[in-house]
Amino acid sequence: MENTAQKRVVVVGAGWAGLGSAYHLARQGYAVTLLEAGAYPGGLVAGWQTPQGRAVEAGIHGFWYPYRNIFALTDHLGIQPFTEWTRSAQYSPHGLEVESPLFQAQPYLPTPLGTFLYTDFKRLPLIDRLSALPLLQALIDFDNSDEAWQKYDRITARELFRQYGVSSRLYHESFEPMLLVGLFAPGEQCSAAAALGMLYYFILAHQPDFDVRWCRGTVGAQIFRPWTAAIERAGGKILANHRVSDVKVEQNRVTAVVCGDEVFEADAVVFAVGISGLKKIVEQSASLRDRQEFRDIRNLGAIDVLATRLWLDRKITIPRPSNACFGFHPTTGWTFFDLNDLHDEYLDEPGTVVEADYYHANQLLPLDDDQAIAQVQQDLAGCIPAFGEAKVIDRAVVRIPQGVTHFAPGSYRYLLPATTSFDNLFMAGDWIVTRHGSWSQEKAYVTGLEAANRIVAMLGQGQPAEILPVIPDEPHIQALRSLNRLARQGLQKLPSFWLP
């Protein structure tokens, strides 16, 4: 069939969501054009080379046990990009605070007992850990429904933990560090709904959920390069350095996407860009600014990221390959990774290669490279003193202003659903509303497949993509949620005069 007879789809953004949409639609016979504003497909996980030829990426990204759809994708592509399951640790300026086991290797206990009993807290007293138990009621109540999101999005995560009696020490030494590296902001700046969804999906839904694997190199090289090659083999076109400036609209349908002087006609369009990227498009497009839903994204925000990579002159013993840190900067969370352990290219490196990534890093971005690296080395030495004696022989510093989604209190009402007021424009990404229940990269990929399925249904060509659901709640959680729903239904029959 000639391309001119094919139904045309333009996908904007070549991250997990955009590549997911593009790959499925290309395989279903659509003429797919994938537009990426950056120099490489991949969004934030695209890697590149330093002037010295060393691999760099904008932060290290984990692949957690619940990422069923991403693992199915890599199996389908016939690639094996991941490490074995790894253990992780947590540090403060006082030293090692927590070590996590391989949860799937432990005897299985009903959730959340495994997480509670098998996690090795070095300093946190039992009485503080027990103060988390009342929070289980909120985790049961939050079922990812629209009603639950509206209810809990009104308050901050910090206020939620305070209301449920979480101890100050547990909050500062456990929950807030999770928020800083999971939602990328301190608790007073995080939606309680997002906090509950993230904690349940990654940690509490099932005992193995916190187990994680890592890419054996950059995600761009290990996953996105073979994936984009597969898209092109299926007939899709991938155009880098193409920043969208406008759309053309006729009879409530987007008929073309504009990139400067180039116009790409379309029967359907997927916007698979982050909040910051979409804001830039809307600013330039009168057709989008005319719609309330797109004007409202001005109420959404994103968070600054600082990603650094250090090559050191000696080997340093790092007990665990992945580590999260708290207490070094009041409102910033950071992580560090032993790349000699994780990345194939550094297995035989004579010195240590370490990645340190900072989230909610607005106060660090103004530092020049020398200042940033000095701060990183000081922080690393606060965890493992041997870092302070090493010499940095090469380094990379990547600043990503407004790089990751900020799930702020009150933001849910402005998050876009998958369908828009345009008949043929669909949304995908980790900030798009979905009832699937996943988070982060898995959510972005799933929403890309969901957008592709909506196009298949609308245009009537091809088969929908198979989307694996999240693993169902354990029976006792299902029972408790059923009881909770019955209780809520009973309360709804009473007069409503309380402030929501």
Side-chain angles (χ1 to χ4, degrees), residues 360-474:
H360 203 261
N362 42 295
Q363 80 279 13
L364 300 177
L365 291 196
L367 300 177
D368 64 31
D369 285 3
D370 289 339
Q371 292 171 320
I373 293 299
Q375 182 64 66
V376 171
Q377 191 166 9
Q378 177 181 320
D379 290 342
L380 288 169
C383 301
I384 300 174
F387 275 112
E389 303 166 6
K391 179 181 179 182
V392 177
I393 58 175
D394 199 1
R395 81 275 182 92
V397 179
V398 181
R399 298 168 182 81
I400 311 107
Q402 305 291 289
V404 292
T405 303
H406 184 196
F407 292 96
S411 62
Y412 177 69
R413 73 185 71 179
Y414 304 115
L415 299 177
L416 290 179
T419 56
T420 70
S421 59
F422 294 101
D423 294 338
N424 66 335
L425 173 60
F426 304 94
M427 304 299 303
D430 70 353
W431 62 283
I432 300 303
V433 175
T434 175
R435 299 299 161 215
H436 182 263
S438 51
W439 275 86
S440 193
Q441 297 172 106
E442 174 82 351
K443 179 184 177 183
Y445 177 52
V446 165
T447 58
L449 295 180
E450 290 176 339
N453 287 351
R454 287 181 168 87
I455 289 173
V456 167
M458 180 185 70
L459 297 180
Q461 175 182 313
Q463 297 298 315
E466 179 185 9
I467 300 175
L468 300 174
V470 296
I471 300 170
D473 290 333
E474 294 184 6

